[in-house]
Structures are given as C-alpha cells and as structure tokens.
Amino acid sequence: MEPGDDLFRRESGRIVATLTRIFGTENLALAEDVAQDVFCRALEVWKLRGVPANPSAWLMTVAKRRAIDLLRRERRVRKFAPDLDSLLVSEWTLTPTVNEAFSEEAIADDELRMMFSCCDPKLSEESQIALILRLLCGFSTREVAHAFLSTPVAMEKRIERARKVLAESAALFDLADRDLCERLPVVHRALYLLFSEGYHASSEALVRRELCREAMRLASSLSDNAAVASSVSSALCALMWFDAARLPSRTDAKGDLVALADQDRLRWDRALIAKGRHFLERSATGGLSEYHVEAAIAAVHCNAAAFAETDWPKIVRLYDALLQLRPSPVVALNRAIALGYAFGPERGLREIHAIPHSDRLAHYPFYPAALADFESRTGEGESARRHLREAMELARNSKERRFLESRLSALSIDQAYVE
Amino acid sequence: MSEFVYLYRGGSRPESPNEGQQVMQKWVNWLGDLERKGHIKDKGQPLDGQGKVVRDGGRAVTDGPYAESKDIVGGYTLVEAKDLSQAAELANGCPILERGGLVEVRPVMEM
C-alpha cells in the first residue's frame, strides 16, 4: 500500500473532473479522451527521462495546454460548459478562465463534485462504482469489467447509460455544499462497496489491492474536505484502514484464504492500524453510524495480539448495536458467532439456530460453515462434515471453495486422530 | 565496454491511466536495473510520432517518417555493454516487448 504508485490513477480523476468542468458534462467523453492523451504523453516522456520533481504540475500544465488548443479549435462548432461558454469564446478571457479552472482549489472542488455526481441516486450501486472507477480512478472499461468479473461489452453498456444520466445532471458544478451533504450517505455507501469488492472479491490480488487503495484514497479526500467533512467519513476511513492493515495476512503464499484464528498477526500493518485509530478518534464527534460500529469491531480485532485474546463480549455488544442500525441476517450471524466465541460453542449453535429470517441465509456459504465450526467443537463431527460439504456447494468462487475444503479435510484429520 | 543504441519501435498505447501506471512502473524497474548495473550511458529522449521527411534534394517534404505506427521510433537510449550479444540480452527485459513493440540494438561505430 505505497502511496507513490497511484500517481496516474489519482491525477487522472483530477484532470477528468477539471476538464469536465470546463467542457461541460455533455462533453464528458471528450474530457476523458484528452486526459487519456495527457497520460500517454507523460508515459512516453517519463519512462525515459524519469518522473519530474512535481509530476502533478507537469500533468496539469499539459492538460491545460491541450484544453486551450481544443477550445480554440472547436469553440465555433461545439457548446462547452453553459456558464463558461461565453468566456471561452473570447480570446481575451479564454486563458484566464482555463487558468482559474486549473487552480489547486478548483481542481479539488471539481474532483469532489465529480465523486458526488457519480453517486447519482438514479444509478444502481454497481453503476455508481463502475463510474467512479472509470472517471476518478483512471480505469479503462475493460479493467472495470475485469475487477467485477463481468464482460467488457456488458460493462461498456452500463457505463454508457451511467454517462447519460451524468450528462443530464448539468447542474453538477453549481450545487451548493448543502446539496452535496444530502448525497453524502450514498457516496459513503459506494466507497464502502468499492472497498468491500476489493476486500472480498475473487479477482486477482493485484486488482483487489487497487480497488481497496482507491476506495481509501477517495474516502480520505472526503474526510479532508471541509465542505463535506463529517464524523461518518472519518468512521468509514477508520474501518478501511483497520481492514487494510489485516489484508496481507488474509491470504497465504498460494493466495488461499486464511481464517482469522490462523492469521499471522505479526504481518498486520501497524502503521495502517495507527492511522485507523487516528480516524476513529476523529469520528467520535458526531452521531453513531454503522461505519462507526464496524470500525470499532475491526479495532477490537486489531487490538488483540492473538486470536485467543480477542475481547469477544465487547464484539457481541458492538454487533448488538450494529443490528439496531443495520438489521440483517448476516449481521445476526456474525453476532451469533461472536457469542459462540465468548460463551462456548453450545451457545453459538443455539444463537445461530435462533436467527430470525435465517431462510435468507440459505445461499450464504458461511451459514453452514459457522454451524460446522461450532459442531466440530461440541463433538458432532458427522453433522459438521455434512454442513461443510453443504457450504462447499454454496461457495461463490474457487477461493471460498478451497478454503472450505481445507476446513473439511482438517476436520477429517482431527477425527482420524481421535479415533 | 562498447556503446550501443536501443531504438524503441512501435508498441501499443495503454488503454487507461491505470494501465499507463503499470507500464510506467515496468519501465522504471527495467531502466533502473540497467542503471544500477552500470549499463546506462544516457537514458536518451522520447521522440514525437509526428514529423516530416525531406528528400529528393529537398524538393519533397512529406509527413512521416512512416505510415505504419509499428515502424515509428518512439525513443532511444545509449547503453554500454561487453559486446552486441550482451547488449541484445539486456534489451530482452524491455517492457515494449510486452506491448507488441521491438527494440532495435545498434552498435555505435567505433573510431
């Protein structure tokens, strides 16, 4: 998770947002083309000459020049941003207007507004995330499709539809800060899902790490921006940082999942955990959100030097709170598991069986897997194996399947040892 | 030690800034490695694809130099190596090879 190697992705979002501000949302594709051109040029020069001392300024200067050339060439035939159009037509005001749009303050504001407009409530959550990756993280359509294990053709259609919705929200750059705040929960949700996609999806490790990193970058820019800063943004950041800290130990050398109990905690990233604590402290000023509670749960895990030292009663209390804020069978399952670790496997089994609407977990592989876990400890080996086989049938990808398979074979070995 | 010029020809453009970042990283790693091993005399310059060709005693000036982008030299680097075969071997890790391009390795003529 080194910050240096996201330069192109970071700057790409800033350039696309600023060019869209100047060209107008209906010329979004043009803004993307110009940005793409700027980065190809940067690559050609930098790969031989090295990255300049201030790469961001280099890119912005090239982008600005390209924008001015293009406006001169096309201002008679194309309409640009309605509020700027008259200023862009006159040679007297063209350069000052573009310079103004490329001031550091304006760029940061444009990027933020772009993020909020990608999260248009008229768009599905999947489309919002696809658009964020395309416009703010410099992903190609093919790369977005790859990250979501979808086909490029299907993704192109989805992004094209989303672009149209965006083009219609022409008021994007005139919105008052108050209006932005109204949409903040949708933005939080999209960034949360983007991070989760990176954390849980089965695409390759490199792609997943990039998704997590981009979600973290955008979330922290949200919490840094005074106009929309909120304790919820800080809580979301805390959650992401705590989870990211544990990412290296979630998979083994072969890329297979490792259970929390078996993870090598020495591999957890202490610097990320410290930053997570910092965000968590900052989040304490406002009302409690689901991200606050999730961050607090992650913090408990990060605080435990070993699995056996985990403060399970505290985690149970936190899941109680989360269940109030976001009632869902998956949260209830996690609460039941925590109760099992806190008060013994019999209690865990009882709680799992008592989950209301557990039929909604019928396709969730970790429901039978959790049953199997506790059953193996109460000596119900036969039932545990049956539940693990059931879980394997439900596995959503090969990684989950291999993980459950290794649990099953571990169980069989234990059994053989006892017999 | 003798000097050689690497001419980078062709190679596809990255599809996105994100892909550009990855290509960039590969170039930095490859050239950095050659530099650490003392093979880089001059990292060279990138060349713009657009240009003119002047020929026929100056009577013909055309856009050029080539119609096909795969033939265009996109840049050069001056390297030092024991001999031509070592220079060619060092060129083998060049990231342009992953993108359909090629490296032309040419000895600098000695006096």
Side-chain angles (χ1 to χ4, degrees), chain A residues 196-245:
Chain A
S196 301
E197 188 66 29
Y199 206 69
H200 297 292
S202 61
S203 44
E204 41 188 282
L206 180 73
V207 177
R208 287 188 293 115
R209 214 167 43 234
E210 276 172 11
L211 296 184
C212 286
R213 193 153 42 187
E214 290 306 290
M216 290 165 80
R217 177 173 70 76
L218 294 173
S220 79
S221 80
L222 210 54
S223 85
D224 286 342
N225 193 299
V228 293
S230 86
S231 64
V232 183
S233 302
S234 301
L236 180 60
C237 285
L239 169 60
M240 289 180 181
W241 260 259
F242 286 139
D243 279 350

Side-chain angles (χ1 to χ4, degrees), chain A residues 5-9 12 36-37 40-41 43-44 46-49 51 138-140 142-143 210, chain B residues 8 13-24 27 31 42-46 48 76-77:
Chain A
D5 53 5
D6 64 358
L7 175 74
F8 279 41
R9 286 192 289 273
S12 154
Q36 168 65 0
D37 229 48
C40 282
R41 190 172 186 88
L43 173 65
E44 291 308 315
W46 296 359
K47 70 184 186 190
L48 293 180
R49 305 305 304 167
V51 180
F139 277 51
S140 67
R142 195 209 306 248
E143 287 166 324
E210 276 172 11
Chain B
Y8 308 112
R13 281 162 50 118
E15 262 183 48
S16 68
N18 183 41
E19 197 183 316
Q21 176 88 54
Q22 289 152 17
V23 178
M24 172 79 190
W27 275 89
L31 277 176
D42 177 357
K43 279 192 174 173
Q45 294 285 356
D48 207 315
Y76 67 88
T77 298

Side-chain angles (χ1 to χ4, degrees), chain B residues 48-67:
Chain B
D48 207 315
Q50 284 128 26
K52 297 274 187 203
V53 176
V54 185
R55 65 179 112 211
D56 291 341
R59 282 184 297 278
V61 179
T62 54
D63 283 346
Y66 298 103

Side-chain angles (χ1 to χ4, degrees), chain A residues 322-339:
Chain A
L322 189 56
L323 212 47
Q324 297 289 319
L325 292 161
R326 193 207 301 154
S328 93
V330 173
V331 174
L333 176 61
N334 281 319
R335 177 182 166 273
I337 293 170
L339 276 162

Side-chain angles (χ1 to χ4, degrees), chain A residues 106-375:
Chain A
I107 293 171
D109 189 52
D110 291 342
E111 192 191 18
L112 186 78
R113 280 159 189 274
M114 191 61 125
M115 195 186 334
F116 277 72
S117 51
C118 288
C119 298
D120 194 309
K122 287 200 284 293
L123 295 171
S124 69
E125 282 169 340
E126 290 85 0
S127 296
Q128 292 171 6
I129 301 172
L131 213 50
I132 287 176
L133 286 173
R134 186 81 173 82
L135 298 178
L136 289 169
C137 308
F139 277 51
S140 67
T141 299
R142 195 209 306 248
E143 287 166 324
V144 179
H146 186 58
F148 285 95
L149 305 175
S150 165
T151 66
V153 178
M155 193 51 79
E156 180 63 52
K157 275 192 195 138
R158 163 167 292 178
I159 289 178
E160 199 40 54
R161 275 197 303 269
R163 271 208 197 93
K164 283 207 181 86
V165 170
L166 203 65
E168 285 158 16
S169 67
L172 159 69
F173 291 101
D174 309 318
L175 286 178
D177 290 344
R178 198 186 50 243
D179 299 326
L180 289 181
C181 289
E182 259 173 36
R183 199 178 276 187
L184 195 52
V186 189
V187 177
H188 286 145
R189 172 88 186 148
L191 296 182
Y192 175 78
L193 291 175
L194 176 58
F195 186 86
S196 301
E197 188 66 29
Y199 206 69
H200 297 292
S202 61
S203 44
E204 41 188 282
L206 180 73
V207 177
R208 287 188 293 115
R209 214 167 43 234
E210 276 172 11
L211 296 184
C212 286
R213 193 153 42 187
E214 290 306 290
M216 290 165 80
R217 177 173 70 76
L218 294 173
S220 79
S221 80
L222 210 54
S223 85
D224 286 342
N225 193 299
V228 293
S230 86
S231 64
V232 183
S233 302
S234 301
L236 180 60
C237 285
L239 169 60
M240 289 180 181
W241 260 259
F242 286 139
D243 279 350
R246 296 181 288 153
L247 203 53
S249 63
R250 271 189 88 235
T251 47
D252 62 15
K254 284 182 299 185
D256 285 346
L257 285 172
V258 181
L260 181 60
D262 304 326
Q263 286 180 17
D264 175 6
R265 297 186 178 221
L266 292 175
R267 288 176 63 204
W268 289 1
D269 189 323
R270 305 324 293 186
L272 290 177
I273 291 176
K275 187 89 189 280
R277 289 214 180 90
H278 168 75
F279 278 122
L280 197 58
E281 278 163 28
R282 254 171 56 180
S283 77
T285 52
L288 201 66
S289 70
E290 52 191 292
Y291 307 114
H292 281 89
V293 182
E294 278 205 62
I297 293 170
V300 174
H301 287 304
C302 288
N303 284 339
F307 185 74
E309 291 172 28
T310 310
D311 186 347
W312 290 107
K314 187 169 181 185
I315 290 186
V316 170
R317 285 197 299 280
L318 288 165
Y319 272 119
D320 283 338
L322 189 56
L323 212 47
Q324 297 289 319
L325 292 161
R326 193 207 301 154
S328 93
V330 173
V331 174
L333 176 61
N334 281 319
R335 177 182 166 273
I337 293 170
L339 276 162
Y341 284 126
F343 306 111
E346 290 85 3
R347 176 72 187 273
L349 283 173
R350 220 165 44 238
E351 295 287 343
I352 293 176
H353 287 302
I355 293 173
H357 308 296
S358 63
D359 51 308
R360 278 164 61 197
L361 293 169
H363 298 286
Y364 188 56
F366 291 100
Y367 179 71
L371 283 172
D373 190 20
F374 289 132
E375 281 165 348

